Amino acid sequence: MPSLSLQNRVALACFAMIAAATGVIALVTTRRAQQEAVDALRQRLAGYAATAALLVDGDQHATLQAPEDMKGDTYRRIRTTLRSVMGALSSDKIRDVYTMVRTDKPNLWLCVVDADESADFMPLGEEYDVSAYPQMKEAFNGPTADLEATRDKFGIWYSGYAPILNSRREPVAILGLDAPADSVVELQNAIAMRAGMMVLAALFVAILPSVLAGRFLARPLARLAEATRRVGKGDLETKVEKTGTEEIDQLGEAFNEMLAGLQRMKFIRSTFDRYVSKEVAERILSLPGGVRLEGERFGATVLFLNLKPFPRLVEKTSPEHALGVMNAYLRVMGEAILANEGTLSTFLGDNLMAVFGAPVTHHDDAFRAVIAAVTMQRAVTELNLHGEAAAGLEFAIGIATGTVVAGTIGPDQRMEYGIIGDAVNQASALEGIAKA
């Protein structure tokens, strides 16, 4: 399976974040709305129960003690009141209205009056386990309603409760009423459905911003990746332009700084290659500690060279022609030195100094210097015979081997890698003898 492009990955990441955020918001909003619907029903039932409890005479209710009291006027009057409450609340589909009293047993209460006329009618004195209804037990302290719905064979129900007070304002019983939770469940389902539709709509709308965000973030990174590939292929002229995004611009600035460093390194390398062979340059640049530029002793071979009779050529010809002739001769001589892994140390007019064995030493540096001298003899002979800048020039060479000190020479404003020592003086002296 092919991997996704950076733009597509960023777009998918943005879409996933939007989807997650939308889902969380929808979930929190839905649950809050559903809880608000439940709370509204509980408040309504508690209010109904409190109002209905005011219609029941607590002193008369307290006289209902035995099953035979169901035949009395007090029982019928209270039951008629409860049925009137059911009729008045028919729009809320109140299932039952009833009264109960506590006993000496904590979770076992007695039913007193039940307005229900179905088979589930509870007669006076029937015991009822209220352990599953903590809010019912709290009703003696004031109106309340179930925190959770009750599920039974008749469906899902919520109940509201309120205390029935006697003439001394003391609670003597509780009035309860049951209402189906169908309306709440339907409302909760409707809220969930609307939330789901809103999530789908939000996700559909999020597609375009996700794609745009993917392009906005991925394109600068893709350009940076392409610039990196070009640099890897040797193109050091590549630059990364600013995008207006702070983090990406910081990355681009770091890339440009790295590129500037590579350009400086390339310049140093190209400059270095003019003085030493590529092989020597590779070895110097690959050394873990680099070259010690503060000064280091070497056993090396020094070569001095002087073109003659160059001064007379300068007097007889134009400066441009004289300079071209000198460069042509020095070019073939420099090639001979670099071919034998020597280092071009100094050019001074028609003089040249090279060293074999610094900053990289070989076991045969003296031999390499002699081979370079012989190669220069042949190259100059060929140039005098066939070269375009042939001027019939000759040269003198002095070669000496000994201990030298190599390092940076000169002030901070202008330094060069040079050598000093007796071998330098001896090579210069031998070159003077050869020139004479």
Side-chain angles (χ1 to χ4, degrees):
M1 181 180 179
S3 60
L4 294 174
S5 66
L6 178 61
Q7 177 177 326
N8 290 336
R9 288 199 298 270
V10 172
L12 285 177
C14 293
F15 184 80
M17 288 189 292
I18 294 175
T22 304
V24 170
I25 293 174
L27 180 62
V28 172
T29 304
T30 300
R31 289 187 175 179
R32 181 177 297 175
Q34 291 175 338
Q35 186 59 47
E36 289 175 353
V38 172
D39 292 342
L41 177 61
R42 292 183 63 247
Q43 292 175 3
R44 193 162 65 249
L45 292 178
Y48 290 162
T51 302
L54 295 175
L55 302 177
V56 179
D57 188 319
D59 294 325
Q60 293 182 3
H61 188 278
T63 65
L64 301 175
Q65 300 290 330
E68 54 268 22
D69 292 335
M70 295 176 60
K71 299 178 181 180
D73 292 339
T74 299
Y75 182 88
R76 285 195 296 269
R77 187 166 50 252
I78 294 176
R79 191 164 187 264
T80 299
T81 300
L82 299 185
R83 289 197 58 78
S84 298
V85 172
M86 286 183 62
L89 300 177
S90 59
S91 60
D92 285 280
K93 301 178 182 179
I94 298 300
R95 168 191 174 189
D96 192 12
V97 182
Y98 47 87
T99 64
M100 288 189 179
V101 294
R102 292 181 291 193
T103 67
D104 295 336
K105 299 178 182 179
N107 293 320
L108 196 63
W109 289 13
L110 296 179
C111 178
V112 180
V113 182
D114 186 4
D116 189 8
E117 295 183 341
S118 69
D120 296 311
F121 168 78
M122 294 185 298
L124 175 61
E126 181 174 323
E127 295 180 341
Y128 192 82
D129 185 1
V130 298
S131 59
Y133 306 98
Q135 297 306 116
M136 182 184 291
K137 293 185 284 186
E138 293 291 330
F140 277 93
N141 299 321
T144 185
D146 290 336
L147 296 176
E148 302 290 340
T150 300
R151 298 177 183 270
D152 58 19
K153 61 182 180 179
F154 299 103
I156 304 175
W157 305 89
Y158 277 92
S159 299
Y161 314 100
I164 297 174
L165 307 178
N166 60 17
S167 57
R168 294 189 300 273
R169 307 299 297 173
E170 297 171 342
V172 296
I174 66 100
L175 182 144
L177 49 82
D178 302 336
D182 296 345
S183 59
V184 174
V185 173
E186 291 175 359
L187 180 59
Q188 290 177 332
N189 291 338
I191 292 173
M193 181 65 69
R194 287 197 297 270
M197 295 177 64
M198 290 175 61
V199 169
L200 292 177
L203 293 180
F204 180 77
V205 173
I207 294 176
L208 180 59
S210 299
V211 172
L212 295 178
R215 291 181 179 178
F216 179 76
L217 294 176
R219 283 185 175 178
L221 296 177
R223 286 196 292 267
L224 182 59
E226 177 61 26
T228 304
R229 283 192 291 269
R230 288 200 298 267
V231 170
K233 294 179 180 179
D235 181 6
L236 299 184
E237 301 301 322
T238 303
K239 287 287 183 69
V240 176
E241 302 297 333
K242 289 188 176 182
T243 63
T245 303
E246 182 179 358
E247 291 77 6
I248 296 179
D249 285 346
Q250 290 176 352
L251 186 60
E253 290 175 1
F255 177 86
N256 290 335
E257 290 176 1
M258 177 199 71
L259 190 62
L262 291 175
Q263 290 172 338
R264 288 192 295 270
M265 181 62 71
K266 182 180 180 181
F267 173 76
I268 293 171
R269 173 64 182 273
S270 63
T271 303
F272 205 22
D273 284 346
R274 298 178 183 179
Y275 294 92
V276 298
S277 66
K278 291 185 177 180
E279 292 77 7
V280 173
E282 291 286 351
R283 292 181 62 182
I284 293 173
L285 294 176
S286 65
L287 291 175
V291 179
R292 293 176 57 188
L293 301 180
E294 69 275 12
E296 187 175 4
R297 293 184 182 277
F298 293 94
T301 298
V302 182
L303 182 150
F304 263 86
L305 179 146
N306 175 262
L307 288 173
K308 62 176 187 176
F310 189 74
R312 291 197 299 271
L313 177 65
V314 173
E315 295 174 358
K316 295 179 179 179
T317 185
S318 65
E320 293 80 3
H321 181 263
L323 190 60
V325 170
M326 184 179 68
N327 285 335
Y329 278 82
L330 292 179
R331 184 180 302 111
V332 297
M333 294 175 182
E335 291 172 353
I337 293 170
L338 296 179
N340 289 279
E341 300 191 19
T343 300
L344 291 169
S345 177
T346 303
F347 286 99
L348 183 60
D350 54 356
N351 292 293
L352 175 153
M353 183 178 73
V355 59
F356 295 80
V360 177
T361 61
H362 308 85
H363 68 281
D364 58 348
D365 286 316
F367 180 74
R368 292 170 182 264
V370 173
I371 294 299
V374 173
T375 303
M376 284 188 281
Q377 285 181 327
R378 295 174 179 174
V380 169
T381 300
E382 182 68 21
L383 184 62
N384 285 332
L385 293 175
H386 306 291
E388 294 182 0
L393 297 181
E394 297 177 352
F395 63 91
I397 293 179
I399 300 175
T401 299
T403 301
V404 299
V405 175
T408 53
I409 298 175
D412 293 340
Q413 295 81 2
R414 177 66 174 89
M415 293 188 295
E416 64 178 17
Y417 187 74
I419 56 174
I420 57 176
D422 290 340
V424 178
N425 299 330
Q426 293 171 4
S428 177
L430 290 174
E431 179 267 327
I433 295 172
K435 182 169 60 176

